[in-house]
Amino acid sequence: MVSVRQSHDKNKKFLAFSDWIESIEFSDDVRKQAVENCYTLLEELDPSPLMLSISRELVEILSTLNMDSETLIAAMLYPYWQRKLISEKAITSTFSKTVYDLVHGIEQMAAIRILHHQKRGELSTEQVDNIRRMLLAMVEDVRAVVIKLAVCIIELRLAKNADEETRVLAAKEAATIYAPLANRLGIGQIKWEIEDYCFRYQHPETYKKIASMLDEKRKDRTSYIRQFVKEVRASLAEHNIQGEVFGRPKHIYSIWKKMQNKDLSFERLFDIRAVRILLESKLDCYQAMGIVHSKWRPLSKEFDDYISAPKPNGYQSIHTVVIGPKGKTVEVQIRTHQMHEESELGVAAHWRYKEGTANGKEDGYQEKINWLRKLLQWQEDVNGNGDMLEELRSQVFEDRVYVFTPKGDVVDLPQGSTPLDFAYYIHSNVGHCCIGAKISGRIVPFSYVLQNGDQIEILTSKEPNPKRDWLNPSLGYLKSTRARAKVHHWFKQQDKEKNLHEGRELLEAELKRSGLVLTDAEQAVSRFNMHSMDDLLSAVGGGDIGPSQIINFIQSKQQKANNDIDERLLSKLESNRPREANAQGIIVQGVGNLLTYMAKCCEPVKGDVVSGYITHGKGVSVHRSDCDQLAQMLEQHPERAVDVEWGGADSQGYRVTVRVVAEDRSGLLRDITTILANEKAYVLGVRSHSDESKQEAAIDIDMSVPHVDSLTKLLSKISQLSGIFEATRLKS
C-alpha cells in the first residue's frame, strides 16, 4: 500500500463544516472547540472555499501530529495573515500573544530560503538579521517550524495544478530545505510526504512507473497483508500480548531510493509487503519478535535490532524480514508506541508528553533542538556572517556522522569531520589545548576521518596552542566551519592589539575622506554586534568588517534623521547662474562651485551617468544614476533630486573597486597589476580569497582611475588574460 493523505484527494468535495469537524480525530474536546471558534472568525474574514480549505488542511495535517490548540489556531490564521486579512491587534485581542508570536514565527521561517538560494559571497546585513531572527523563533517555539512544514505540504499540493517549471522549482526548494529540516527535527510523518511530492514533480515518469508497478498487484498485496496481519494478531493473543498490528504504508520515494542504493530491481525488494507491530514495552517487543520468527523463517542478513543498539540519531525499532505464506517476503517492524511516536512525530511528540500522557521525554525534545541553541551561542562568539550560513547549511542539509564521547554521549558532526572538529565541538578550550586523539584506545592523526560509532578521547595540554596549519584546507585537519571559525577567532585575539592599532588608522583615514570623525563610528558598535569601540576597531584591523560598511551605515543613519529640507540650498538652485564645474569636476544645475562629494555607496567615476541628492547641510551627494541607495532616498524625498553632470576638466582620479574571479594559478596577481600599471590605475588596496575545492581565486582591487572609459578598457584587458572567469566593477 502507498500512503496518501486523505485530505489531499483531488476528488474530495468541500464538506460542510459540521461534517468536516466530525471527520477529524481530535485528541480532546479542547482542541475541537478551539478550531470551531477560530473557524467562525475565518468565515467572517473570507468565506471562500479556497481560503477555508487551506486552513482546514493545515488542521488535518497538524492534528495527526497531536499538536496543541495554540498550534492549530495559529496554522488556521496564517493563510489569512499572509494575505493581510487579519491584523496583529485582531489576533492578540481574540486569541493570545502566543498565537500571534507563532504566526509571526512562521513568517520569519521564510529566511531559511537564503540557505538554498545564496550560494556564494557574503550575506547582506538584512539577510543575517533575518536568519538570526528565524533561529531565535525556532528555538523559542519550534511549533512555528512544524506549522511551516505543514504549509510546505499545502504549497506542494497546490503546485500540481501549476505549470511544469513552477512545480519543479517548488519541488527543488522543498527537497533541499524542508525535507531535510523535517528529518533534522525527527518528523518522519511530514518528511516522507514532502519527499513523495518532490519526487513526483521532479521525476514524473519514474514516479508513475513505480506507482504503476505497485498498482498492478495492489489488490493481491492488500489481501495478502490483511491475512498476514490477522495471523500475527492471533499469535500475539495466544501469548497474551496486547498491541496494534497493521500494514505499513510504502512511500514511492523510499522505494526508488532503496532501488538506487542497493541496485535492486522492483521485484527483488524485500519490503514491498510491510507490517508494523506496536506494543507497550521493550519486553513485549522481543517476545513478539520470537513469535514472528518461530512462525515464519527470518532472513538473517535482513535483521537489525535498533532497540538494544539504537541508531546514533536515537531511532529505535526491530527490523526483520521473514518468508511469509506462499514463500513471499514480508518486512516486519516491531517497536513500542513511544518509539513509534518519536520516529513519526519527532519534536511534535513533545506536546503530547508535555500534557502528561507519557513521562520523561522533555530531554528528548531538548536534544532535538539542542543544535539550534548551540549554533546561536556559537554565533555570539564569532562574527563571520558567511561562517554562520555555512554552519547552518551543514547542520540542516549535509549528511552527519554520529560519534561517542568516552562517557557514551552521542555527538553529531558534519560528514568528513576529524578529531579536532570533535574537540572544538565539545568546547573551544578543549580544541585549543588538543595535542592528540584516541579512537577506541588507539592513537589517530588529526586528519583521521571520523566514522559512525567511533568513541573518541581527546588528549590535551595545560596551555592552549593552536597551529596555523590547522586552517590549511589541503592538510585536512578541520572540516566544520564552526571549528575553523574558533581557530580564526583565537589567532585574532592574539593579534588584537595590532589589529586595534591598524583598524583605528584605517577607519580614521576612510572617515576623514567622507567628512566624518571617529566618534561618528560609535553608533555602529551595536549594529555590528560588538561590545565596545575597541572591538569594532579590532574587527576592522582584522579584516572582518570593512570601513566602507561602517561609513555606509553612518551615512544612512544621517540621511534618515535629516527629514527637513535645506531651504537655503533649494532657493540657490532656483536661480539661473552660469553652469561651471566645481573642484570635483561636477556641474550642479544652476549653481557653480557648490560643495559636492562622491557617494561611497556607488563611487561614481567620470563618464558614469550621475544624479545629485541634496543633503542636509553637507551639499550635494553625487551618485551613479542606477544606485539602489539613491533610489531609496528619492522614494522618500523626491524633492531633493537635482541634475548634475561632469564638467570638462579632467579629474585627478576616481576610486572604484574591481572584482576579478579567475583560475587560481601562479603569476595571476602579477599579470593583473601589470595591466593596471600600463593603464595608469593607482592601486589603493587588494583583498583576495582562494577556494581550494574549486581551484578558484576571487580578488577585490581598490583603485583610482581617471575616467570611466579607462576603466572599461582596463576591465577588457584583464578579461583577456588566461584563466579569467570574470572582471567586473563592484557597486561599493
Side-chain angles (χ1 to χ4, degrees):
M1 58 192 283
V2 177
S3 181
V4 178
R5 187 180 299 284
Q6 185 179 357
S7 64
H8 290 176
D9 185 352
K10 65 181 179 181
N11 298 317
K12 181 182 175 184
K13 295 181 180 179
F14 187 75
L15 299 174
F17 175 73
S18 58
D19 295 329
W20 172 75
I21 197 75
E22 290 302 322
S23 70
I24 306 297
E25 295 182 5
F26 292 105
S27 56
D28 56 54
D29 291 337
V30 174
R31 288 174 171 83
K32 184 177 180 180
Q33 187 61 51
V35 169
E36 289 179 344
N37 294 341
C38 185
Y39 197 89
T40 301
L41 172 64
L42 298 185
E43 283 186 307
E44 295 174 0
L45 294 174
D46 186 341
S48 66
L50 175 61
M51 290 295 294
L52 292 173
S53 64
I54 292 174
S55 290
R56 283 184 179 190
E57 288 208 30
L58 288 170
V59 170
E60 292 172 23
I61 294 170
L62 295 169
S63 62
T64 63
L65 299 176
N66 301 305
M67 300 305 290
D68 61 353
S69 300
E70 290 177 329
T71 305
L72 298 179
I73 292 171
M76 294 177 73
L77 293 173
Y78 180 65
Y80 291 78
W81 172 264
Q82 260 191 316
R83 292 158 180 79
K84 304 187 185 308
L85 296 174
I86 190 168
S87 66
E88 176 184 352
K89 184 178 180 181
I91 294 176
T92 53
S93 61
T94 309
F95 302 103
S96 67
K97 179 66 165 54
T98 302
V99 169
Y100 169 73
D101 289 340
L102 278 173
V103 172
H104 189 54
I106 305 165
E107 191 173 50
Q108 289 177 327
M109 281 295 298
I112 202 170
R113 291 184 172 185
I114 298 171
L115 303 177
H116 176 51
H117 298 298
Q118 187 83 12
K119 298 299 183 184
R120 291 182 54 186
E122 282 289 312
L123 292 174
S124 69
T125 302
E126 182 181 1
Q127 287 173 320
V128 173
D129 286 344
N130 288 341
I131 289 180
R132 188 176 288 110
R133 281 194 292 266
M134 178 196 74
L135 290 173
L136 286 168
M138 291 170 74
V139 169
E140 289 173 1
D141 200 333
V142 79
R143 289 177 294 179
V145 189
V146 180
I147 301 173
K148 181 63 178 179
L149 292 172
V151 170
C152 175
I153 291 176
I154 302 299
E155 290 174 345
L156 287 172
R157 180 185 67 83
L158 294 174
K160 70 182 178 183
N161 298 319
D163 57 87
E164 183 180 2
E165 182 180 2
T166 301
R167 285 197 306 272
V168 171
L169 289 174
K172 185 177 291 186
E173 182 175 85
T176 54
I177 295 176
Y178 297 109
L181 183 59
N183 181 60
R184 196 69 170 88
L185 297 174
I187 315 176
Q189 189 168 311
I190 284 198
K191 172 180 172 286
W192 68 252
E193 193 158 358
I194 293 176
E195 287 178 338
D196 266 12
Y197 271 110
C198 294
F199 182 56
R200 178 180 178 181
Y201 294 158
Q202 290 182 291
H203 305 280
E205 296 303 320
T206 308
Y207 180 92
K208 289 176 184 176
K209 183 178 179 180
I210 295 176
S212 65
M213 287 189 289
L214 287 167
D215 285 336
E216 284 176 6
K217 299 183 179 179
R218 180 187 299 275
K219 187 176 180 180
D220 292 341
R221 188 169 59 254
T222 303
S223 175
Y224 183 92
I225 290 296
R226 188 181 298 116
Q227 182 59 35
F228 187 88
V229 166
K230 184 178 179 181
E231 293 185 35
V232 173
R233 285 174 179 163
S235 298
L236 293 178
E238 288 178 12
H239 293 80
N240 296 317
I241 298 177
Q242 300 294 322
E244 295 181 47
V245 186
F246 51 87
R248 184 167 70 87
K250 295 304 301 177
H251 316 308
I252 292 179
Y253 175 75
S254 67
I255 291 172
W256 174 79
K257 193 173 181 181
K258 187 165 289 187
M259 291 169 63
Q260 298 295 309
N261 292 342
K262 295 191 175 184
D263 195 22
L264 295 174
S265 64
F266 180 82
E267 294 75 15
R268 293 176 59 201
L269 292 176
F270 288 124
D271 58 351
I272 295 301
R273 291 167 292 275
V275 169
R276 183 170 285 150
I277 304 173
L278 302 184
L279 304 162
E280 293 301 321
S281 67
K282 290 183 181 180
L283 179 60
D284 289 344
C285 291
Y286 286 106
Q287 288 180 335
M289 180 190 72
I291 292 169
V292 170
H293 283 181
S294 65
K295 192 172 181 63
W296 297 286
R297 182 170 65 86
L299 298 180
S300 57
K301 292 183 179 180
E302 299 297 325
F303 175 78
D304 292 292
D305 181 2
Y306 296 122
I307 292 180
S308 62
K311 287 186 178 181
N313 63 3
Y315 175 83
Q316 289 185 289
S317 183
I318 292 173
H319 293 188
T320 185
V321 175
V322 299
I323 306 297
K326 301 179 183 178
K328 296 180 178 180
T329 57
V330 182
E331 184 196 55
V332 182
Q333 292 186 357
I334 307 170
R335 61 180 72 156
T336 66
H337 291 281
Q338 184 173 304
M339 293 172 188
H340 178 65
E341 289 191 348
E342 280 291 297
S343 171
E344 293 295 298
L345 307 184
V347 294
H350 165 69
W351 280 271
R352 168 175 288 189
Y353 298 129
K354 188 177 180 182
E355 292 166 4
T357 59
N359 297 316
K361 295 306 297 179
E362 286 288 330
D363 289 341
Y365 163 74
Q366 295 297 340
E367 288 174 6
K368 285 285 192 297
I369 62 170
N370 193 42
W371 58 278
L372 283 170
R373 296 186 187 280
K374 289 186 176 179
L375 182 61
L376 282 171
Q377 184 179 7
W378 169 70
Q379 178 58 19
E380 291 176 1
D381 300 328
V382 181
N383 299 312
N385 297 332
D387 290 342
M388 183 181 75
L389 176 69
E390 291 307 317
E391 178 67 8
L392 186 52
R393 277 201 189 114
S394 165
Q395 289 281 358
V396 181
F397 307 128
E398 291 185 3
D399 291 335
R400 312 291 289 178
V401 59
Y402 296 87
V403 295
F404 297 91
T405 68
K407 293 182 179 180
D409 296 328
V410 178
V411 172
D412 65 300
L413 297 164
Q415 195 79 40
S417 291
T418 66
L420 272 177
D421 288 302
F422 174 85
Y424 276 105
Y425 180 91
I426 299 302
H427 196 277
S428 297
N429 286 337
V430 175
H432 294 335
C433 297
C434 181
I435 57 173
K438 290 182 178 180
I439 304 293
S440 301
R442 178 174 58 89
I443 294 287
V444 295
F446 283 158
S447 57
Y448 171 83
V449 177
L450 299 178
Q451 305 298 315
N452 277 324
D454 280 346
Q455 189 169 46
I456 310 170
E457 178 186 355
I458 298 298
L459 308 177
T460 59
S461 62
K462 292 183 178 180
E463 298 296 329
N465 190 28
K467 303 292 190 293
R468 292 192 182 272
D469 283 349
W470 293 357
L471 297 172
N472 188 336
S474 62
L475 298 178
Y477 291 141
L478 291 171
K479 162 69 175 179
S480 70
T481 307
R482 179 180 192 169
R484 296 176 65 83
K486 287 185 175 182
V487 177
H488 273 297
H489 184 64
W490 189 86
F491 281 112
K492 286 175 185 174
Q493 287 298 106
Q494 307 310 303
D495 298 332
K496 188 171 183 179
E497 287 301 319
K498 176 184 175 184
N499 290 338
L500 178 62
H501 176 72
E502 292 181 355
R504 186 185 300 276
E505 287 188 348
L506 185 60
L507 184 57
E508 282 182 335
E510 291 298 319
L511 288 167
K512 187 175 180 181
R513 292 177 189 172
S514 302
L516 301 169
V517 294
L518 191 60
T519 53
D520 292 329
E522 291 178 356
Q523 58 191 307
V525 171
S526 59
R527 180 64 191 84
F528 291 95
N529 300 311
M530 298 294 167
H531 299 296
S532 66
M533 188 63 183
D534 282 354
D535 289 340
L536 182 67
L537 295 174
S538 295
V540 173
D544 295 325
I545 301 174
S548 60
Q549 292 177 269
I550 298 173
I551 292 169
N552 287 342
F553 171 72
I554 296 170
Q555 290 177 339
S556 65
K557 288 267 290 185
Q558 290 177 342
Q559 287 162 352
K560 288 180 181 178
N562 297 331
N563 293 323
D564 297 329
I565 301 173
D566 191 337
E567 296 294 340
R568 178 185 60 79
L569 188 54
L570 284 174
S571 63
K572 282 187 178 182
L573 294 178
E574 292 171 359
S575 63
N576 187 19
R577 293 182 56 181
R579 293 160 60 85
E580 59 185 42
N582 63 9
Q584 281 77 33
I586 290 292
I587 297 175
V588 182
Q589 182 184 31
V591 180
N593 200 29
L594 185 67
L595 175 64
T596 63
Y597 66 91
M598 302 300 168
K600 289 291 181 180
C601 52
C602 56
E603 297 183 334
V605 178
K606 186 172 183 181
D608 283 336
V609 179
V610 289
S611 299
Y613 181 84
I614 303 170
T615 66
H616 185 70
K618 292 180 61 179
V620 175
S621 61
V622 180
H623 300 254
R624 287 165 56 184
S625 294
D626 61 352
C627 175
D628 294 336
Q629 187 167 320
L630 174 66
Q632 293 175 8
M633 293 188 296
L634 291 179
E635 186 176 349
Q636 296 180 1
H637 300 290
E639 69 278 5
R640 289 180 176 268
V642 61
D643 291 336
V644 298
E645 63 185 36
W646 299 99
D650 286 337
S651 167
Q652 293 182 350
Y654 299 88
R655 177 170 178 158
V656 295
T657 301
V658 168
R659 171 164 294 173
V660 178
V661 181
E663 175 186 354
D664 195 359
R665 61 175 176 82
S666 176
L668 173 63
L669 189 58
R670 179 201 61 211
D671 294 345
I672 294 172
T673 52
T674 298
I675 291 176
L676 297 179
N678 292 339
E679 293 302 315
K680 296 181 172 54
Y682 180 67
V683 178
L684 304 174
V686 178
R687 298 174 300 282
S688 64
H689 171 72
S690 295
D691 188 332
E692 294 284 344
S693 61
K694 296 181 180 179
Q695 292 295 305
E696 185 176 296
I699 304 172
D700 288 351
I701 308 170
D702 298 327
M703 64 180 76
S704 176
V705 296
H707 194 279
V708 73
D709 290 340
S710 62
L711 175 62
T712 302
K713 185 178 178 183
L714 184 148
L715 292 176
S716 176
K717 288 192 175 183
I718 292 177
S719 299
Q720 295 172 19
L721 289 173
S722 172
I724 299 294
F725 302 141
E726 181 183 88
T728 56
R729 172 188 174 186
L730 298 182
K731 282 193 174 183
S732 63

Coordinates of all heavy atoms in Angstrom, one line a residue, residues 612-643:
G612 N 22.2 63.9 -8.6 CA 22.5 64.5 -7.4 C 21.4 64.4 -6.3 O 20.2 64.3 -6.7
Y613 N 21.8 64.4 -5.1 CA 20.8 64.4 -4.0 C 21.2 65.5 -2.9 O 22.4 65.5 -2.5 CB 20.8 63.0 -3.3 CG 19.8 62.9 -2.2 CD1 18.5 62.6 -2.4 CD2 20.2 63.1 -0.9 CE1 17.6 62.5 -1.4 CE2 19.3 63.0 0.2 CZ 18.0 62.7 -0.1 OH 17.1 62.6 0.9
I614 N 20.3 66.4 -2.6 CA 20.6 67.5 -1.7 C 20.6 66.9 -0.3 O 19.5 66.5 0.2 CB 19.6 68.6 -1.8 CG1 19.5 69.1 -3.3 CG2 19.8 69.7 -0.9 CD1 18.4 70.0 -3.6
T615 N 21.7 67.0 0.4 CA 21.8 66.5 1.8 C 21.5 67.7 2.7 O 21.3 68.8 2.3 CB 23.2 66.0 2.1 OG1 24.1 67.0 2.1 CG2 23.5 64.8 1.2
H616 N 21.4 67.4 4.0 CA 21.1 68.5 5.0 C 22.4 69.1 5.5 O 23.1 68.5 6.3 CB 20.3 67.9 6.1 CG 19.9 69.0 7.1 ND1 18.9 69.9 6.8 CD2 20.3 69.2 8.4 CE1 18.7 70.7 7.9 NE2 19.5 70.3 8.8
G617 N 22.8 70.2 4.9 CA 24.0 70.9 5.4 C 25.3 70.4 4.9 O 26.4 70.9 5.3
K618 N 25.3 69.4 4.0 CA 26.6 68.9 3.5 C 26.7 69.0 2.0 O 27.6 68.4 1.4 CB 26.7 67.4 3.9 CG 26.9 67.1 5.4 CD 27.0 65.7 5.7 CE 28.2 65.1 5.0 NZ 28.4 63.6 5.3
G619 N 25.8 69.8 1.4 CA 25.9 70.0 0.0 C 25.2 68.9 -0.8 O 24.2 68.3 -0.3
V620 N 25.7 68.5 -2.0 CA 25.1 67.6 -2.9 C 25.9 66.3 -2.9 O 27.1 66.4 -3.2 CB 24.9 68.2 -4.3 CG1 24.4 67.1 -5.2 CG2 24.0 69.4 -4.2
S621 N 25.3 65.2 -2.7 CA 26.0 63.9 -2.9 C 25.7 63.4 -4.3 O 24.6 63.5 -4.8 CB 25.5 62.8 -1.9 OG 24.1 62.6 -2.0
V622 N 26.8 63.0 -5.0 CA 26.7 62.6 -6.4 C 26.7 61.1 -6.4 O 27.7 60.4 -5.9 CB 27.9 63.2 -7.2 CG1 27.8 62.8 -8.6 CG2 27.9 64.7 -7.0
H623 N 25.7 60.5 -7.1 CA 25.6 59.1 -7.2 C 25.5 58.7 -8.7 O 25.2 59.5 -9.5 CB 24.2 58.6 -6.6 CG 24.1 58.9 -5.1 ND1 24.2 57.9 -4.1 CD2 23.9 60.1 -4.4 CE1 24.1 58.5 -2.9 NE2 23.8 59.8 -3.1
R624 N 25.9 57.4 -8.9 CA 25.5 56.8 -10.2 C 24.0 56.8 -10.3 O 23.3 56.5 -9.3 CB 26.1 55.4 -10.4 CG 27.6 55.4 -10.5 CD 28.2 54.1 -10.3 NE 27.7 53.0 -11.2 CZ 28.0 51.8 -11.1 NH1 28.9 51.4 -10.2 NH2 27.5 50.9 -11.9
S625 N 23.5 57.0 -11.5 CA 22.0 57.1 -11.7 C 21.3 55.8 -11.4 O 20.1 55.8 -11.0 CB 21.7 57.6 -13.1 OG 22.1 58.9 -13.3
D626 N 22.1 54.7 -11.4 CA 21.4 53.4 -11.2 C 21.7 52.9 -9.7 O 21.5 51.7 -9.4 CB 22.0 52.3 -12.1 CG 23.5 52.1 -12.0 OD1 24.1 52.9 -11.3 OD2 24.0 51.2 -12.6
C627 N 22.1 53.8 -8.9 CA 22.4 53.5 -7.5 C 21.1 53.1 -6.7 O 20.2 53.9 -6.7 CB 23.1 54.6 -6.8 SG 23.4 54.4 -5.0
D628 N 21.2 52.0 -6.0 CA 20.0 51.5 -5.3 C 19.7 52.4 -4.1 O 18.5 52.7 -3.8 CB 20.2 50.1 -4.8 CG 20.3 49.1 -5.9 OD1 19.7 49.4 -7.0 OD2 20.9 48.0 -5.7
Q629 N 20.8 52.9 -3.4 CA 20.6 53.7 -2.2 C 20.0 55.1 -2.6 O 19.1 55.6 -1.9 CB 21.9 53.9 -1.5 CG 21.7 54.7 -0.2 CD 23.0 54.6 0.7 OE1 23.6 53.5 0.8 NE2 23.3 55.7 1.3
L630 N 20.4 55.6 -3.8 CA 19.8 56.8 -4.3 C 18.3 56.7 -4.5 O 17.5 57.5 -4.2 CB 20.5 57.3 -5.6 CG 19.9 58.5 -6.3 CD1 20.1 59.7 -5.4 CD2 20.6 58.7 -7.6
A631 N 18.0 55.5 -5.1 CA 16.5 55.3 -5.5 C 15.7 55.2 -4.2 O 14.6 55.8 -4.1 CB 16.4 54.0 -6.2
Q632 N 16.3 54.6 -3.1 CA 15.5 54.6 -1.8 C 15.3 55.9 -1.2 O 14.3 56.3 -0.7 CB 16.3 53.6 -0.9 CG 16.3 52.2 -1.3 CD 17.1 51.3 -0.4 OE1 17.6 51.8 0.7 NE2 17.3 50.1 -0.7
M633 N 16.4 56.8 -1.3 CA 16.3 58.1 -0.7 C 15.3 59.0 -1.5 O 14.5 59.7 -0.9 CB 17.7 58.8 -0.7 CG 18.7 58.1 0.2 SD 20.2 59.0 0.4 CE 20.9 58.9 -1.2
L634 N 15.3 58.9 -2.8 CA 14.4 59.7 -3.6 C 13.0 59.2 -3.5 O 12.1 60.0 -3.7 CB 14.9 59.7 -5.1 CG 16.2 60.4 -5.4 CD1 16.5 60.3 -6.9 CD2 16.1 61.9 -5.0
E635 N 12.8 58.0 -3.2 CA 11.4 57.5 -3.0 C 10.8 58.2 -1.8 O 9.6 58.5 -1.8 CB 11.5 56.0 -2.7 CG 10.1 55.4 -2.7 CD 10.1 53.9 -2.5 OE1 11.2 53.3 -2.7 OE2 9.1 53.3 -2.3
Q636 N 11.7 58.5 -0.7 CA 11.2 59.2 0.5 C 11.1 60.7 0.3 O 10.2 61.4 0.8 CB 12.0 58.8 1.7 CG 12.0 57.3 2.0 CD 12.9 57.0 3.2 OE1 13.5 57.9 3.8 NE2 12.9 55.8 3.6
H637 N 12.1 61.2 -0.4 CA 12.2 62.7 -0.6 C 12.6 63.0 -2.1 O 13.7 63.4 -2.4 CB 13.3 63.2 0.3 CG 13.1 63.0 1.8 ND1 12.1 63.6 2.5 CD2 13.7 62.1 2.6 CE1 12.1 63.2 3.7 NE2 13.1 62.3 3.8
P638 N 11.6 62.9 -3.0 CA 11.8 63.2 -4.4 C 12.2 64.6 -4.6 O 12.9 65.0 -5.6 CB 10.5 62.8 -5.0 CG 9.5 62.9 -4.0 CD 10.2 62.5 -2.7
E639 N 11.8 65.6 -3.7 CA 12.1 67.0 -3.9 C 13.6 67.3 -3.7 O 14.0 68.4 -4.1 CB 11.3 67.8 -2.9 CG 11.7 67.7 -1.4 CD 11.1 66.4 -0.8 OE1 10.4 65.6 -1.5 OE2 11.3 66.3 0.4
R640 N 14.4 66.3 -3.2 CA 15.8 66.6 -3.0 C 16.6 66.2 -4.2 O 17.9 66.4 -4.2 CB 16.3 65.8 -1.8 CG 15.8 66.3 -0.5 CD 16.3 65.5 0.7 NE 15.9 66.0 2.0 CZ 16.6 66.9 2.7 NH1 17.8 67.3 2.2 NH2 16.2 67.3 3.8
A641 N 16.0 65.7 -5.3 CA 16.8 65.4 -6.5 C 17.2 66.7 -7.2 O 16.6 67.7 -7.2 CB 15.9 64.6 -7.4
V642 N 18.4 66.6 -7.8 CA 19.0 67.7 -8.5 C 19.8 67.2 -9.7 O 20.5 66.1 -9.6 CB 19.8 68.6 -7.6 CG1 21.0 67.9 -7.0 CG2 20.3 69.8 -8.4
D643 N 19.8 67.9 -10.8 CA 20.5 67.4 -12.0 C 22.0 67.8 -11.8 O 22.3 68.9 -11.5 CB 20.0 68.1 -13.3 CG 18.6 67.5 -13.6 OD1 18.3 66.4 -13.2 OD2 17.9 68.2 -14.3

